[in-house]
Amino acid sequence: MSQLVDNFGRKITYLRVSITDRCNYRCIYCQPEEQFKFISHEEILRYEEIVEIIEEAVNLGVTKVRITGGEPLVRKGVVGFIKKLREIKKLEDISLTTNGFFLSEYAVKLKGAGLNRVNISLDSLQEEKYKKITRGGSLEKALKGIDSALKAGLLPIKINTVLIRGINDDEVEDFVRLALERPLNIRFIEFMPSGEEVINEFENKFISVQEIKEKLIKKYLLNPIKISTANGPAKYYQIKGGQGTIGFITALSQHFCKTCNRIRLTSEGKLRPCLFSNKEIDIKKAIRQLARDKDQRFLRKEIIRDKLKEAVKIKPEGHKLNIKNQENLSFHMSRIGG
Ligand code: SAM
């Protein structure tokens, strides 16, 4: 069967799937403070629809799927859903991004269902600050979640730390210490301009990972290394004497569009070929027009494959965003899936 290759020769092998726009947190850089208008239940893709889409994506060469949200662990039935994904032959890697709140309850079940690994968001190691950034979250629960994921063997564990000037850039060395003491891969991520409320203050709050790296290099011996599951945008380093690693993701200061191998599926059933472009393809509408009976099965599969190909064909060569230019971009990661 043909593969998903875009107009610039990039092979698409990675699908990021948001299964809900709902989240138990409202992180300051991700969601507005006021009540967010959530997508209604009927408009959210059903698990069986998502599985069907992933099956066809795998038939077209996708080998890696990341489940995200919103907070994926707030959606009921997530363990059964992972089990179904595990049944898809040729799907090599299933991972999940979470804030960790429910992980102590779910880690063993997720591992049992066939989940390979988790990324856990953690933007502060200070209880009060963590609460402020997440607007009410629990650092204790997140840390317990990390412990449970380690015990369950959801490895390698990547910790996502979004750096925001004046808020958590003073904690960089505490995170480095965490990577020294525990087998965790800490990834410092550049803050991205999502949502109007963030864009207004963006220039003052943005901090390039280059700036952080230069400071760390003066103090620590950083050896570049490769992580088996990491052929994405992060560059990883081992710190002498440490159990874990640190990594840097330069979403804004250095684009990694040239090697981008991913597209996204939003929780409301839109294929989004680039996070930073508002262009989307409505796959839900196309598949809901067909009944789910057996006779329509092959036609549905064909339509899904066509929509995936269509999305890949409109994938832009790259984005032109930088610290000063956010164009007229307006998106919330919780809707699209970070
Ligand atoms: N609820 C889950 C979590 O907290 O990890 C999954 C969804 S969250 C949208 C996925 C990732 O997107 C998180 O690691 C978060 O830090 C990141 N993210 C959200 N908004 C961002 C922004 N404006 N800049 C950089 N990263 C962002």
Side-chain angles (χ1 to χ4, degrees):
M1 203 170 278
S2 61
Q3 304 274 293
L4 293 173
V5 180
D6 75 3
N7 288 340
F8 306 94
R10 293 169 298 195
K11 212 168 140 189
I12 306 303
T13 54
Y14 180 10
L15 181 63
R16 214 172 254 210
V17 180
S18 172
I19 59 170
T20 179
D21 61 333
R22 285 157 211 253
C23 188
N24 53 325
Y25 289 177
R26 318 173 75 74
C27 297
I28 51 173
Y29 52 76
C30 189
Q31 284 196 27
E33 190 167 11
E34 74 275 10
Q35 191 54 43
F36 206 47
K37 199 169 172 289
F38 290 115
I39 303 162
S40 69
H41 282 293
E42 308 78 68
E43 292 307 320
I44 294 280
L45 278 182
R46 295 187 281 269
Y47 281 135
E48 61 265 31
E49 291 171 328
I50 303 175
V51 172
E52 255 186 318
I53 294 169
I54 295 177
E55 273 169 355
E56 291 320 303
V58 170
N59 281 334
L60 293 173
V62 165
T63 56
K64 284 167 84 168
V65 167
R66 169 169 298 283
I67 306 305
T68 181
E71 171 50 44
L73 300 184
V74 301
R75 181 158 176 186
K76 278 197 193 118
V78 65
V79 174
F81 166 64
I82 299 286
K83 248 185 211 159
K84 282 273 170 230
L85 292 189
R86 190 73 287 167
E87 288 168 14
I88 303 175
K89 290 188 191 94
K90 291 192 288 182
L91 178 55
E92 292 166 12
D93 185 56
I94 310 171
S95 58
L96 178 137
T97 304
T98 173
N99 58 36
F101 186 89
F102 298 103
L103 252 189
S104 42
E105 181 188 326
Y106 272 110
V108 171
K109 292 180 200 157
L110 288 168
K111 181 72 187 176
L115 185 74
N116 293 98
R117 57 199 177 89
V118 283
N119 283 12
I120 303 167
S121 302
L122 189 71
D123 300 320
S124 175
L125 294 167
Q126 298 169 18
E127 183 72 52
E128 274 315 300
K129 203 194 283 182
Y130 183 91
K131 203 169 249 164
K132 219 168 145 188
I133 295 175
T134 54
R135 296 203 182 98
S138 158
L139 175 63
E140 197 191 341
K141 289 284 283 180
L143 295 176
K144 274 194 183 144
I146 293 173
D147 284 343
S148 307
L150 280 169
K151 274 196 203 124
L154 289 166
L155 307 173
I157 296 177
K158 295 177 187 163
I159 303 291
N160 288 348
T161 302
V162 177
L163 291 174
I164 311 172
R165 192 184 294 283
I167 296 193
N168 62 355
D169 52 331
D170 58 331
E171 289 190 60
V172 168
E173 289 201 34
D174 297 336
F175 279 103
V176 172
R177 228 163 286 132
L178 187 65
L180 279 166
E181 289 163 6
R182 310 210 66 187
L184 300 170
N185 304 291
I186 313 280
R187 299 154 11 123
F188 296 113
I189 300 176
E190 278 178 357
F191 175 33
M192 291 183 275
S194 77
E196 301 79 6
E197 53 290 305
V198 165
I199 290 176
N200 294 338
E201 292 186 81
F202 189 70
E203 241 184 283
N204 299 333
K205 296 260 193 291
F206 177 83
I207 179 160
S208 79
V209 295
Q210 189 57 27
E211 185 180 326
I212 299 294
K213 202 165 149 187
E214 276 163 19
K215 274 190 197 149
L216 291 179
I217 282 173
K218 288 185 190 143
K219 229 174 148 175
Y220 302 91
L221 189 63
L222 302 181
N223 284 322
I225 57 151
K226 276 237 163 272
I227 295 188
S228 61
T229 54
N231 40 19
K235 292 198 175 77
Y236 290 94
Y237 298 83
Q238 201 147 37
I239 318 153
K240 202 167 179 236
Q243 291 195 54
T245 65
I246 56 169
F248 301 95
I249 302 189
T250 56
L252 220 63
S253 63
Q254 284 173 340
H255 306 169
F256 32 79
C257 307
K258 260 192 186 157
T259 55
C260 183
N261 61 349
R262 71 183 61 163
I263 58 170
R264 290 175 153 84
L265 175 64
T266 71
S267 51
E268 58 180 332
K270 306 266 171 64
L271 289 167
R272 186 160 174 131
C274 170
L275 177 64
F276 296 118
S277 159
N278 293 332
K279 282 186 189 165
E280 291 178 335
I281 296 286
D282 194 338
I283 191 165
K284 179 183 68 189
K285 193 169 162 209
I287 59 175
R288 284 199 181 165
Q289 274 164 1
L290 282 178
R292 291 191 57 83
D293 59 39
K294 271 201 174 147
D295 298 344
Q296 305 273 34
R297 210 168 131 238
F298 291 103
L299 193 52
R300 288 168 67 80
K301 281 176 173 290
E302 202 176 309
I303 284 177
I304 291 171
R305 289 197 296 271
D306 285 348
K307 288 290 162 189
L308 285 162
K309 286 178 194 163
E310 211 180 302
V312 165
K313 286 295 167 210
I314 61 159
K315 187 172 170 68
E317 186 172 13
H319 70 81
K320 295 182 185 64
L321 297 191
N322 57 45
I323 302 155
K324 294 193 188 296
N325 167 32
Q326 280 93 55
E327 289 171 343
N328 50 3
L329 189 73
S330 176
F331 69 91
H332 286 107
M333 294 281 263
S334 57
R335 189 186 75 77
I336 298 166

